[in-house]
Amino acid sequence: ATAMGNYTGGRLRVYGQDGVVDVDTKNRWCRFDGRFKHEVLPFTGTRYSVIYYQLEPAFSVDMTTTVEGAAKHSKPTKQTK
């Protein structure tokens, strides 16, 4: 899912197996399982959503596709002298 437009707020909230996750989808993609309860948080302005559906694999939010989760799932890089 992604969102675009001239708005503030409007994060995607997913109630998944790991708890509640709020994701900023403005001008970026987030892959999540729409079979989990989800909603858009309040926003002001004009907001458009683009959504694609896929049934496999089963996960609530693929955190590697979000800015919020990228830091948690990034692998440390080796530093050479």
Side-chain angles (χ1 to χ4, degrees), residues 12-75:
L12 170 67
R13 175 170 283 174
V14 180
Y15 300 87
Q17 72 250 19
D18 296 326
V20 178
V21 179
D22 292 340
V23 182
D24 182 6
T25 58
K26 187 172 186 177
N27 300 319
R28 59 179 82 151
W29 287 96
C30 171
R31 191 167 101 176
F32 76 100
D33 188 335
R35 294 174 288 186
F36 285 89
K37 183 178 173 186
H38 59 281
E39 64 183 325
V40 173
L41 297 178
F43 63 92
T44 57
T46 302
R47 183 183 187 280
Y48 300 95
S49 296
V50 178
I51 302 165
Y52 291 92
Y53 295 95
Q54 175 182 342
L55 296 178
E56 296 291 332
F59 52 80
S60 58
V61 177
D62 181 354
M63 292 302 288
T64 63
T65 66
T66 68
V67 172
E68 294 84 354
K72 292 180 185 178
H73 292 81
S74 65
K75 294 180 181 176

